[in-house]
Amino acid sequence: MPSIKIVPLIMAGGAGTRLWPLSRDTMPKQFIPLLAGGLSTFQTTLQRLADPAFDTPIVITNNDFRFIAAEQMLACGIEGEVVLEPERRDSAAAIAVGAVLASRRDPEAVGLALASDHVVADAEAFRRDCKLAAGLAATGLIMTLGIPPTHPSTAYGYLAPGEKLAEPGASRLARFVEKPRLELATQYLAEGYLWNSGNFLFAARTMLDELARHAPEVLAAAEAAVDKAKRDLDFLRLDPASFARATKISIDYAVMERTASAGMLAASFDWSDIGAWDSIHEIKPKDADGNVLEGPAVVIDTHRSLVRSDEMLTTVVGLDDVVVVSTRDAVLVASMAAAGKVKNLVELMKASGRPEASEHLRIYRPWGWYQRIDIGSRFQVKHIHVKEAGQLSLQKHFHRAEHWVVVSGTAEVTIDDRIVIVHENESAYLPIGCTHRLKNPGKIPLELIEVQVGSYTGEDDIIRIEDIYARD
Protein backbone atom coordinates (compact mmCIF):
# COMPACT_ATOMS: atom_id res chain seq x y z
CA MET A 1 0.00 0.00 0.00
CA PRO A 2 1.49 3.39 -0.95
CA SER A 3 2.48 5.78 1.79
CA ILE A 4 -0.35 8.10 2.87
CA LYS A 5 0.24 11.54 4.36
CA ILE A 6 -2.17 12.04 7.28
CA VAL A 7 -3.43 15.55 8.04
CA PRO A 8 -4.09 15.87 11.81
CA LEU A 9 -7.17 17.91 12.76
CA ILE A 10 -6.66 18.70 16.45
CA MET A 11 -9.74 19.91 18.30
CA ALA A 12 -8.61 22.17 21.14
CA GLY A 13 -11.57 24.40 21.92
CA GLY A 14 -13.29 22.59 24.80
CA ALA A 15 -13.71 23.81 28.37
CA GLY A 16 -13.13 20.60 30.38
CA THR A 17 -15.51 21.54 33.18
CA ARG A 18 -15.43 18.11 34.85
CA LEU A 19 -11.85 18.88 35.96
CA TRP A 20 -12.88 22.06 37.78
CA PRO A 21 -11.41 23.87 39.72
CA LEU A 22 -8.16 23.24 37.86
CA SER A 23 -9.76 23.44 34.41
CA ARG A 24 -11.93 26.49 33.71
CA ASP A 25 -13.10 28.44 30.69
CA THR A 26 -10.16 30.85 30.87
CA MET A 27 -7.61 27.98 30.94
CA PRO A 28 -9.05 24.55 30.11
CA LYS A 29 -7.53 21.16 30.79
CA GLN A 30 -5.88 20.61 27.37
CA PHE A 31 -3.47 23.49 28.03
CA ILE A 32 -2.69 22.66 31.68
CA PRO A 33 0.37 20.52 32.58
CA LEU A 34 -1.66 17.81 34.34
CA LEU A 35 0.81 14.99 33.80
CA ALA A 36 4.49 14.34 34.48
CA GLY A 37 7.08 16.29 32.51
CA GLY A 38 5.47 19.72 32.68
CA LEU A 39 3.73 19.42 29.31
CA SER A 40 0.04 19.87 28.58
CA THR A 41 -1.98 17.15 26.85
CA PHE A 42 -2.21 19.51 23.86
CA GLN A 43 1.59 19.47 23.65
CA THR A 44 1.86 15.70 24.07
CA THR A 45 -0.75 15.32 21.32
CA LEU A 46 1.40 17.46 19.03
CA GLN A 47 4.48 15.43 19.91
CA ARG A 48 2.73 12.14 19.05
CA LEU A 49 2.24 13.51 15.55
CA ALA A 50 5.89 14.48 15.03
CA ASP A 51 6.47 11.74 12.47
CA PRO A 52 6.98 11.75 8.68
CA ALA A 53 3.61 10.02 8.24
CA PHE A 54 1.81 13.13 9.46
CA ASP A 55 1.42 16.40 7.61
CA THR A 56 1.37 19.86 9.21
CA PRO A 57 -1.45 19.81 11.79
CA ILE A 58 -4.59 21.94 11.64
CA VAL A 59 -5.46 23.10 15.17
CA ILE A 60 -9.07 24.15 15.67
CA THR A 61 -9.58 26.25 18.78
CA ASN A 62 -11.38 29.42 19.79
CA ASN A 63 -10.39 33.04 20.03
CA ASP A 64 -9.73 33.01 23.78
CA PHE A 65 -7.09 30.27 23.48
CA ARG A 66 -5.33 31.38 20.30
CA PHE A 67 -2.17 32.74 21.91
CA ILE A 68 -1.96 29.87 24.43
CA ALA A 69 -2.13 27.34 21.60
CA ALA A 70 0.41 29.22 19.51
CA GLU A 71 2.83 29.60 22.42
CA GLN A 72 2.62 25.93 23.37
CA MET A 73 3.18 24.90 19.76
CA LEU A 74 6.23 27.16 19.60
CA ALA A 75 7.57 25.63 22.83
CA CYS A 76 7.34 22.19 21.18
CA GLY A 77 8.98 23.39 17.99
CA ILE A 78 5.89 22.40 15.97
CA GLU A 79 4.33 24.57 13.27
CA GLY A 80 0.71 24.33 12.22
CA GLU A 81 -2.39 26.12 11.00
CA VAL A 82 -4.37 27.57 13.93
CA VAL A 83 -8.03 28.03 13.02
CA LEU A 84 -10.29 30.12 15.26
CA GLU A 85 -13.92 29.16 15.79
CA PRO A 86 -16.08 32.23 16.49
CA GLU A 87 -18.18 30.11 18.89
CA ARG A 88 -18.44 26.50 20.03
CA ARG A 89 -20.63 24.45 17.67
CA ASP A 90 -19.52 20.93 18.74
CA SER A 91 -17.35 18.45 16.87
CA ALA A 92 -19.29 18.10 13.58
CA ALA A 93 -18.66 21.73 12.60
CA ALA A 94 -15.02 21.57 13.69
CA ILE A 95 -14.36 18.39 11.73
CA ALA A 96 -16.23 19.80 8.72
CA VAL A 97 -13.94 22.85 8.73
CA GLY A 98 -10.89 20.60 9.09
CA ALA A 99 -12.02 18.37 6.22
CA VAL A 100 -12.61 21.40 3.97
CA LEU A 101 -9.14 22.79 4.72
CA ALA A 102 -7.45 19.39 4.32
CA SER A 103 -9.15 18.75 0.97
CA ARG A 104 -8.06 22.16 -0.31
CA ARG A 105 -4.52 21.39 0.78
CA ASP A 106 -4.64 18.04 -1.04
CA PRO A 107 -7.74 16.54 -2.74
CA GLU A 108 -6.49 13.07 -1.75
CA ALA A 109 -5.81 14.00 1.88
CA VAL A 110 -6.62 11.62 4.71
CA GLY A 111 -7.62 13.45 7.87
CA LEU A 112 -7.16 12.38 11.47
CA ALA A 113 -9.62 14.06 13.81
CA LEU A 114 -8.53 13.84 17.42
CA ALA A 115 -9.06 15.61 20.70
CA SER A 116 -6.24 17.53 22.35
CA ASP A 117 -6.94 16.30 25.90
CA HIS A 118 -6.35 12.55 25.58
CA VAL A 119 -3.48 10.61 27.12
CA VAL A 120 -1.73 7.88 25.13
CA ALA A 121 1.03 5.89 26.83
CA ASP A 122 2.58 4.33 23.70
CA ALA A 123 3.05 6.97 21.01
CA GLU A 124 4.66 4.52 18.58
CA ALA A 125 1.70 2.15 18.82
CA PHE A 126 -0.63 5.12 18.24
CA ARG A 127 1.24 6.09 15.08
CA ARG A 128 1.27 2.50 13.86
CA ASP A 129 -2.49 2.17 14.32
CA CYS A 130 -3.12 5.51 12.60
CA LYS A 131 -1.11 4.41 9.55
CA LEU A 132 -3.03 1.15 9.37
CA ALA A 133 -6.40 2.90 9.72
CA ALA A 134 -5.37 5.55 7.17
CA GLY A 135 -4.88 2.86 4.55
CA LEU A 136 -8.43 1.66 5.13
CA ALA A 137 -9.74 5.23 5.19
CA ALA A 138 -8.22 5.84 1.76
CA THR A 139 -10.59 3.16 0.39
CA GLY A 140 -13.63 5.21 1.43
CA LEU A 141 -14.20 4.17 5.04
CA ILE A 142 -14.47 6.47 8.05
CA MET A 143 -12.35 4.59 10.56
CA THR A 144 -12.75 4.90 14.32
CA LEU A 145 -9.97 3.85 16.67
CA GLY A 146 -11.71 1.65 19.23
CA ILE A 147 -10.25 1.04 22.69
CA PRO A 148 -10.47 -2.47 24.20
CA PRO A 149 -12.38 -1.78 27.44
CA THR A 150 -10.89 -2.61 30.83
CA HIS A 151 -14.19 -2.41 32.73
CA PRO A 152 -17.86 -1.62 32.11
CA SER A 153 -17.99 2.18 31.93
CA THR A 154 -20.93 4.52 31.50
CA ALA A 155 -18.58 7.39 30.54
CA TYR A 156 -17.81 6.26 26.98
CA GLY A 157 -19.64 5.46 23.77
CA TYR A 158 -19.36 1.89 22.48
CA LEU A 159 -18.55 0.40 19.06
CA ALA A 160 -20.02 -2.93 17.90
CA PRO A 161 -17.75 -4.82 15.48
CA GLY A 162 -19.28 -6.06 12.25
CA GLU A 163 -17.85 -7.75 9.16
CA LYS A 164 -14.10 -8.25 9.44
CA LEU A 165 -11.81 -6.30 7.13
CA ALA A 166 -8.51 -7.40 5.62
CA GLU A 167 -6.31 -5.79 8.27
CA PRO A 168 -5.92 -7.51 11.66
CA GLY A 169 -8.21 -6.01 14.31
CA ALA A 170 -10.23 -4.07 11.72
CA SER A 171 -13.90 -4.50 10.91
CA ARG A 172 -16.94 -2.71 9.68
CA LEU A 173 -18.75 -0.75 12.36
CA ALA A 174 -22.05 -2.54 12.94
CA ARG A 175 -23.41 -0.24 15.59
CA PHE A 176 -22.46 3.03 17.24
CA VAL A 177 -23.88 3.34 20.78
CA GLU A 178 -23.84 6.44 22.98
CA LYS A 179 -23.01 6.27 26.70
CA PRO A 180 -25.10 3.40 28.13
CA ARG A 181 -26.34 2.57 31.60
CA LEU A 182 -24.19 0.15 33.63
CA GLU A 183 -26.14 -3.03 32.83
CA LEU A 184 -25.81 -2.42 29.10
CA ALA A 185 -22.13 -1.50 29.43
CA THR A 186 -21.54 -4.86 31.13
CA GLN A 187 -23.40 -6.62 28.33
CA TYR A 188 -21.43 -4.77 25.67
CA LEU A 189 -18.17 -5.89 27.25
CA ALA A 190 -19.25 -9.52 27.02
CA GLU A 191 -20.23 -9.05 23.38
CA GLY A 192 -16.84 -7.65 22.34
CA TYR A 193 -17.76 -3.99 21.93
CA LEU A 194 -14.96 -1.41 22.10
CA TRP A 195 -14.89 2.07 23.61
CA ASN A 196 -15.13 4.97 21.19
CA SER A 197 -11.90 6.97 21.52
CA GLY A 198 -13.19 9.87 19.42
CA ASN A 199 -10.26 9.49 17.01
CA PHE A 200 -11.45 9.26 13.39
CA LEU A 201 -9.51 8.73 10.16
CA PHE A 202 -11.11 9.46 6.81
CA ALA A 203 -10.39 10.60 3.29
CA ALA A 204 -11.37 14.25 3.32
CA ARG A 205 -13.57 13.70 0.25
CA THR A 206 -15.39 10.85 2.06
CA MET A 207 -16.13 12.98 5.11
CA LEU A 208 -17.34 15.85 2.92
CA ASP A 209 -19.60 13.47 0.98
CA GLU A 210 -21.07 12.02 4.20
CA LEU A 211 -21.62 15.45 5.69
CA ALA A 212 -23.38 16.52 2.49
CA ARG A 213 -25.60 13.45 2.78
CA HIS A 214 -26.37 13.50 6.51
CA ALA A 215 -25.65 17.06 7.77
CA PRO A 216 -25.72 19.40 4.75
CA GLU A 217 -26.34 22.50 6.85
CA VAL A 218 -23.15 21.83 8.85
CA LEU A 219 -21.11 21.38 5.68
CA ALA A 220 -22.57 24.49 4.03
CA ALA A 221 -21.79 26.58 7.12
CA ALA A 222 -18.23 25.21 7.31
CA GLU A 223 -17.50 25.84 3.62
CA ALA A 224 -18.85 29.40 3.82
CA ALA A 225 -16.92 30.06 7.05
CA VAL A 226 -13.69 28.97 5.35
CA ASP A 227 -14.45 30.84 2.11
CA LYS A 228 -14.99 34.09 4.03
CA ALA A 229 -12.27 33.51 6.63
CA LYS A 230 -9.71 36.23 7.31
CA ARG A 231 -6.08 36.14 8.31
CA ASP A 232 -5.40 37.67 11.74
CA LEU A 233 -1.66 37.65 12.50
CA ASP A 234 -0.75 33.94 12.25
CA PHE A 235 -4.33 32.72 12.72
CA LEU A 236 -7.17 31.87 10.33
CA ARG A 237 -10.34 33.44 11.71
CA LEU A 238 -13.52 31.74 10.45
CA ASP A 239 -16.39 33.96 9.34
CA PRO A 240 -18.69 34.35 12.39
CA ALA A 241 -22.03 34.73 10.56
CA SER A 242 -21.41 31.69 8.37
CA PHE A 243 -20.13 29.48 11.17
CA ALA A 244 -23.10 30.36 13.41
CA ARG A 245 -25.40 28.65 10.88
CA ALA A 246 -23.87 25.25 11.67
CA THR A 247 -26.08 22.98 13.76
CA LYS A 248 -24.61 22.37 17.21
CA ILE A 249 -24.15 18.61 16.95
CA SER A 250 -21.38 16.06 17.50
CA ILE A 251 -19.82 14.15 14.63
CA ASP A 252 -21.11 10.97 16.30
CA TYR A 253 -24.75 12.01 15.90
CA ALA A 254 -24.28 13.91 12.64
CA VAL A 255 -22.40 11.24 10.69
CA MET A 256 -21.12 8.19 12.54
CA GLU A 257 -24.53 6.87 13.64
CA ARG A 258 -25.95 7.35 10.12
CA THR A 259 -23.21 6.51 7.65
CA ALA A 260 -22.89 3.16 5.87
CA SER A 261 -19.14 3.75 5.48
CA ALA A 262 -18.03 3.35 9.09
CA GLY A 263 -15.21 1.05 10.12
CA MET A 264 -13.27 0.43 13.31
CA LEU A 265 -9.82 -0.67 14.33
CA ALA A 266 -9.02 -2.13 17.74
CA ALA A 267 -6.27 0.11 19.12
CA SER A 268 -3.05 -1.40 20.44
CA PHE A 269 -2.25 1.55 22.73
CA ASP A 270 -3.40 2.44 26.23
CA TRP A 271 -5.71 5.45 26.24
CA SER A 272 -7.51 7.79 28.60
CA ASP A 273 -9.62 10.84 27.85
CA ILE A 274 -9.00 12.20 31.41
CA GLY A 275 -12.58 13.34 31.34
CA ALA A 276 -12.98 13.61 35.11
CA TRP A 277 -10.95 13.39 38.31
CA ASP A 278 -11.53 9.64 38.66
CA SER A 279 -9.76 9.08 35.31
CA ILE A 280 -6.86 11.26 36.49
CA HIS A 281 -6.61 9.07 39.59
CA GLU A 282 -6.68 5.97 37.42
CA ILE A 283 -3.68 6.88 35.25
CA LYS A 284 -1.40 8.45 37.89
CA PRO A 285 1.16 6.65 40.08
CA LYS A 286 -0.24 5.81 43.51
CA ASP A 287 1.17 5.18 46.96
CA ALA A 288 0.70 1.98 48.96
CA ASP A 289 -2.80 3.06 49.99
CA GLY A 290 -3.89 3.74 46.43
CA ASN A 291 -3.70 7.50 46.87
CA VAL A 292 -2.53 10.14 44.40
CA LEU A 293 -1.07 13.04 46.39
CA GLU A 294 0.13 16.18 44.62
CA GLY A 295 1.38 19.44 46.07
CA PRO A 296 1.37 20.18 49.82
CA ALA A 297 -1.01 17.37 50.82
CA VAL A 298 -0.97 15.17 53.95
CA VAL A 299 -3.41 12.32 54.64
CA ILE A 300 -3.95 9.62 57.27
CA ASP A 301 -6.36 6.67 57.22
CA THR A 302 -7.25 7.59 53.64
CA HIS A 303 -7.35 5.19 50.70
CA ARG A 304 -7.94 5.16 46.93
CA SER A 305 -8.21 8.94 46.87
CA LEU A 306 -6.84 11.88 44.90
CA VAL A 307 -5.69 14.90 46.89
CA ARG A 308 -4.15 17.79 44.97
CA SER A 309 -3.20 21.25 46.18
CA ASP A 310 -1.69 24.08 44.16
CA GLU A 311 -0.48 26.14 47.12
CA MET A 312 -1.98 25.76 50.60
CA LEU A 313 -1.54 22.71 52.80
CA THR A 314 -4.48 20.37 52.26
CA THR A 315 -5.15 17.53 54.69
CA VAL A 316 -7.56 14.58 54.70
CA VAL A 317 -8.33 12.24 57.58
CA GLY A 318 -10.31 9.00 57.53
CA LEU A 319 -11.86 9.19 54.06
CA ASP A 320 -11.78 6.65 51.24
CA ASP A 321 -12.51 7.04 47.53
CA VAL A 322 -12.63 10.84 47.53
CA VAL A 323 -11.37 13.68 45.35
CA VAL A 324 -10.03 16.80 47.07
CA VAL A 325 -8.63 19.54 44.83
CA SER A 326 -7.51 22.83 46.32
CA THR A 327 -6.60 25.96 44.38
CA ARG A 328 -5.99 29.47 45.64
CA ASP A 329 -9.63 30.52 45.24
CA ALA A 330 -11.65 27.28 45.33
CA VAL A 331 -11.79 23.82 46.91
CA LEU A 332 -13.54 20.74 45.49
CA VAL A 333 -14.50 17.79 47.67
CA ALA A 334 -16.32 14.92 45.96
CA SER A 335 -16.70 11.18 46.19
CA MET A 336 -14.72 9.37 43.49
CA ALA A 337 -17.97 7.80 42.26
CA ALA A 338 -19.55 11.23 41.71
CA ALA A 339 -16.53 12.81 39.98
CA GLY A 340 -18.42 13.06 36.70
CA LYS A 341 -21.03 15.32 38.33
CA VAL A 342 -18.54 18.15 38.75
CA LYS A 343 -19.80 19.38 35.37
CA ASN A 344 -23.26 19.81 36.90
CA LEU A 345 -21.74 21.68 39.82
CA VAL A 346 -20.03 24.12 37.45
CA GLU A 347 -23.30 24.70 35.59
CA LEU A 348 -25.00 25.47 38.92
CA MET A 349 -22.28 27.94 39.88
CA LYS A 350 -22.45 29.66 36.49
CA ALA A 351 -26.22 30.01 36.83
CA SER A 352 -25.75 31.67 40.21
CA GLY A 353 -23.14 34.09 38.85
CA ARG A 354 -20.05 32.69 40.59
CA PRO A 355 -17.01 33.95 38.63
CA GLU A 356 -14.90 31.08 40.02
CA ALA A 357 -16.88 28.70 37.82
CA SER A 358 -15.27 30.12 34.68
CA GLU A 359 -12.30 32.28 35.62
CA HIS A 360 -8.98 31.48 37.22
CA LEU A 361 -7.29 33.97 39.48
CA ARG A 362 -4.42 33.77 37.00
CA ILE A 363 -5.51 35.15 33.63
CA TYR A 364 -3.31 34.45 30.61
CA ARG A 365 -2.64 37.04 27.95
CA PRO A 366 -0.46 36.94 24.80
CA TRP A 367 2.20 38.98 26.64
CA GLY A 368 2.22 36.81 29.81
CA TRP A 369 -0.29 36.67 32.68
CA TYR A 370 -1.67 38.50 35.68
CA GLN A 371 -3.07 37.23 38.97
CA ARG A 372 -5.20 39.12 41.45
CA ILE A 373 -3.75 39.29 44.96
CA ASP A 374 -6.40 41.39 46.69
CA ILE A 375 -9.41 43.56 45.85
CA GLY A 376 -11.50 46.08 47.75
CA SER A 377 -14.10 48.76 47.08
CA ARG A 378 -11.56 51.27 45.71
CA PHE A 379 -8.43 49.21 45.04
CA GLN A 380 -7.07 46.09 43.42
CA VAL A 381 -3.61 44.49 43.68
CA LYS A 382 -2.21 42.24 40.94
CA HIS A 383 0.92 40.22 40.26
CA ILE A 384 1.92 40.79 36.61
CA HIS A 385 4.31 38.58 34.61
CA VAL A 386 5.50 39.84 31.21
CA LYS A 387 7.49 37.38 29.12
CA GLU A 388 10.63 38.37 27.23
CA ALA A 389 9.82 40.94 24.49
CA GLY A 390 6.18 40.99 25.61
CA GLN A 391 4.32 44.26 25.77
CA LEU A 392 0.86 45.32 26.87
CA SER A 393 -1.35 47.46 24.67
CA LEU A 394 -1.03 51.24 24.59
CA GLN A 395 -4.05 52.14 26.73
CA LYS A 396 -5.69 54.41 29.24
CA HIS A 397 -8.23 54.22 32.08
CA PHE A 398 -10.92 56.70 33.08
CA HIS A 399 -11.52 55.58 36.67
CA ARG A 400 -8.24 54.45 38.18
CA ALA A 401 -4.62 55.32 38.70
CA GLU A 402 -1.94 52.61 38.80
CA HIS A 403 1.33 52.10 40.66
CA TRP A 404 3.81 49.61 39.19
CA VAL A 405 6.56 48.22 41.45
CA VAL A 406 9.17 46.09 39.65
CA VAL A 407 10.12 42.94 41.58
CA SER A 408 12.45 41.39 39.00
CA GLY A 409 13.56 42.19 35.48
CA THR A 410 13.39 45.55 33.76
CA ALA A 411 10.30 47.49 32.65
CA GLU A 412 10.05 49.98 29.81
CA VAL A 413 7.14 52.24 30.76
CA THR A 414 5.43 54.69 28.41
CA ILE A 415 3.54 57.51 30.19
CA ASP A 416 1.99 59.91 27.68
CA ASP A 417 4.97 61.29 25.72
CA ARG A 418 7.67 59.94 28.10
CA ILE A 419 9.45 56.56 28.13
CA VAL A 420 11.18 55.57 31.36
CA ILE A 421 13.17 52.49 32.34
CA VAL A 422 12.21 51.02 35.72
CA HIS A 423 14.53 48.52 37.42
CA GLU A 424 14.07 46.11 40.33
CA ASN A 425 12.80 47.77 43.52
CA GLU A 426 11.79 50.89 41.58
CA SER A 427 8.27 52.05 40.73
CA ALA A 428 6.26 54.07 38.23
CA TYR A 429 3.07 56.05 38.85
CA LEU A 430 0.37 56.27 36.16
CA PRO A 431 -2.27 58.94 36.90
CA ILE A 432 -5.90 58.57 35.86
CA GLY A 433 -6.40 59.20 32.15
CA CYS A 434 -2.77 59.02 31.08
CA THR A 435 -1.84 57.03 27.96
CA HIS A 436 0.52 54.24 29.00
CA ARG A 437 2.17 51.00 28.01
CA LEU A 438 4.27 48.36 29.78
CA LYS A 439 7.01 46.50 27.88
CA ASN A 440 9.68 43.98 28.83
CA PRO A 441 12.84 44.92 26.91
CA GLY A 442 15.00 42.40 28.76
CA LYS A 443 15.98 38.75 28.35
CA ILE A 444 14.31 37.47 31.53
CA PRO A 445 10.65 37.64 32.57
CA LEU A 446 9.45 40.90 34.09
CA GLU A 447 7.64 40.52 37.42
CA LEU A 448 5.86 43.44 39.02
CA ILE A 449 3.15 44.32 41.51
CA GLU A 450 0.39 46.57 40.23
CA VAL A 451 -1.73 48.57 42.67
CA GLN A 452 -4.89 50.08 41.18
CA VAL A 453 -6.68 52.85 43.09
CA GLY A 454 -9.90 54.49 41.95
CA SER A 455 -13.67 54.40 41.86
CA TYR A 456 -13.74 51.43 39.45
CA THR A 457 -11.08 48.75 38.80
CA GLY A 458 -12.90 46.41 36.37
CA GLU A 459 -11.16 44.98 33.30
CA ASP A 460 -13.60 46.80 31.01
CA ASP A 461 -12.13 50.19 32.03
CA ILE A 462 -9.46 49.79 29.35
CA ILE A 463 -9.36 51.86 26.17
CA ARG A 464 -6.86 50.20 23.83
CA ILE A 465 -5.19 52.69 21.50
CA GLU A 466 -2.63 50.36 19.91
CA ASP A 467 -2.03 46.64 20.31
CA ILE A 468 0.54 44.42 18.58
CA TYR A 469 -1.70 41.39 19.23
CA ALA A 470 -4.64 42.86 17.23
CA ARG A 471 -7.10 42.70 20.11
CA ASP A 472 -10.13 44.97 20.25
Side-chain angles (χ1 to χ4, degrees), residues 200-257:
F200 303 100
L201 289 106
F202 47 83
R205 63 179 182 275
T206 301
M207 179 57 76
L208 296 176
D209 288 345
E210 293 303 294
L211 284 164
R213 184 174 293 113
H214 301 294
E217 70 290 344
V218 173
L219 178 59
E223 289 179 327
V226 172
D227 288 340
K228 299 176 183 177
K230 295 180 179 179
R231 284 285 166 189
D232 180 357
L233 301 177
D234 294 329
F235 309 109
L236 181 67
R237 191 179 291 277
L238 298 174
D239 179 63
S242 301
F243 193 73
R245 291 196 288 270
T247 305
K248 194 172 185 179
I249 187 172
S250 71
I251 196 67
D252 302 345
Y253 286 126
V255 172
M256 298 307 297
E257 290 189 357

Side-chain angles (χ1 to χ4, degrees), residues 9 24 44 74-75 89 136 154-155 173 194 207 226 303-304 306 342 364 412 447 449 471:
L9 314 175
R24 309 187 197 182
T44 58
L74 181 63
R89 305 303 291 167
L136 294 166
T154 60
L173 179 57
L194 303 182
M207 179 57 76
V226 172
H303 309 85
R304 302 177 303 278
L306 183 149
V342 172
Y364 288 86
E412 180 184 296
E447 306 277 348
I449 301 299
R471 295 171 296 170

Side-chain angles (χ1 to χ4, degrees), residues 396-418:
K396 62 181 178 179
H397 313 295
F398 291 124
H399 302 288
R400 68 176 185 253
E402 294 179 344
H403 305 257
W404 292 344
V405 181
V406 175
V407 177
S408 65
T410 299
E412 180 184 296
V413 180
T414 299
I415 307 174
D416 290 328
D417 57 354
R418 295 185 299 123

Side-chain angles (χ1 to χ4, degrees), residues 33 121 123-124 131-132 176 197 239 253 260 356 359 390-391 432 436:
E124 184 54 44
K131 294 171 190 176
L132 185 63
F176 195 104
S197 71
D239 179 63
Y253 286 126
E356 298 91 343
E359 299 176 1
Q391 60 177 291
I432 292 176
H436 59 276

Side-chain angles (χ1 to χ4, degrees), residues 2 41 51 53 108 221 233 236 307 314 326 348 380 445:
T41 55
D51 181 269
E108 303 301 314
L233 301 177
L236 181 67
V307 183
T314 301
S326 172
L348 178 64
Q380 183 170 193

Side-chain angles (χ1 to χ4, degrees), residues 447-467:
E447 306 277 348
L448 59 86
I449 301 299
E450 176 183 87
V451 181
Q452 304 175 358
V453 179
S455 58
Y456 182 73
T457 60
E459 285 302 304
D460 54 351
D461 181 26
I462 296 178
I463 304 300
R464 287 197 178 96
I465 300 167
E466 180 183 294
D467 184 42

